[in-house]
């Protein structure tokens, strides 16, 4: 009995994973639908539940930013970043970058929760990083598309 080995290269692994991700099988379709649903839910969360209270200066948001000493400028800045990230989660070429950017924002939110609010609600940003990391990884091939667009424009 002879064994045949096939060398596994990073390109082969990448091609295999993208074939699985783009598979037309029922499992592949379900995975794509689940990922897209997750993106829509997170986008709605960031736009409605997180950015909107900051952008309309809801008293609960204003109070927290005043307690930190960031005032309305900090509140509006974070609100705009969350709004942009939530919208970008729905734009195919920006999905991965948006997920990474929102993850970075959540690291900052975690630090703020620990520093200014004695850890109250500190788990929320950490929990949000998990699905954001999944989106960033699953949609990573769009980064090459984005890079091509940026190079073409410059």
């Amino acid at each position: 009995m002879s064994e045949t080995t096939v060398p596994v290269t990073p390109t082969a692994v990448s091609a295999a994973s993208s074939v699985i991700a783009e598979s037309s099988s029922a499992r592949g379709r379900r995975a794509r639908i689940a990922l897209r649903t997750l993106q829509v839910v997170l986008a709605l969360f960031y736009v409605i539940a997180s950015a909107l209270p900051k952008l309309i200066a809801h008293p609960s948001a204003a109070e927290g930013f005043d307690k930190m000493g960031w005032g309305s400028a900090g509140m509006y800045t974070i609100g705009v970043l969350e709004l942009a990230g939530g919208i970008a989660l729905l734009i195919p070429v920006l999905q991965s970058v948006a997920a990474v950017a929102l993850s970075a924002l959540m690291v900052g939110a975690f630090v703020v929760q620990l520093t200014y609010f004695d850890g109250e609600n500190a788990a929320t940003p950490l929990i949000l990083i998990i699905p954001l990391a999944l989106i960033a990884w699953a949609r990573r091939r769009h980064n090459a598309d984005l890079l091509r667009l940026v190079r073409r424009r410059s």
Side-chain angles (χ1 to χ4, degrees):
M1 210 191 292
S2 71
E3 289 184 31
T4 306
T5 60
V6 177
V8 177
T9 63
T11 306
V13 171
S14 175
S17 65
S18 65
V19 168
I20 292 168
E22 298 301 319
S23 172
S24 63
S25 70
R27 183 177 179 195
R29 281 191 304 273
R30 284 192 306 266
R32 283 194 312 276
I33 291 168
L35 184 63
R36 191 59 162 161
T37 302
L38 178 63
Q39 287 176 240
V40 169
V41 168
L42 281 174
L44 288 171
F45 169 79
Y46 277 105
V47 169
I48 296 171
S50 195
L52 187 62
K54 294 172 184 79
L55 295 175
I56 64 170
H58 190 273
S60 63
E63 179 184 316
F65 280 89
D66 286 342
K67 181 177 180 179
M68 293 184 291
W70 294 10
S72 62
M75 179 177 62
Y76 292 129
T77 301
I78 298 298
V80 167
L81 290 173
E82 290 174 342
L83 177 65
I87 292 169
L89 278 175
L90 302 176
I91 301 171
V93 75
L94 298 176
Q95 294 168 345
S96 180
V97 172
V100 170
L102 286 170
S103 293
L105 198 60
M106 291 302 96
V107 169
F110 173 73
V111 171
V112 165
Q113 289 294 327
L114 288 179
T115 307
Y116 290 101
F117 300 104
D118 299 323
E120 182 182 333
N121 300 321
T124 303
L126 292 179
I127 292 167
L128 288 169
I129 288 174
I130 295 167
L132 289 169
L134 174 67
I135 292 167
W137 180 82
R139 302 296 191 192
R140 69 191 179 280
R141 67 179 173 81
H142 291 295
N143 292 339
D145 299 336
L146 179 61
L147 190 56
R148 275 193 295 279
L149 281 172
V150 169
R151 285 183 179 162
R152 192 178 312 150
R153 299 227 188 253
S154 49

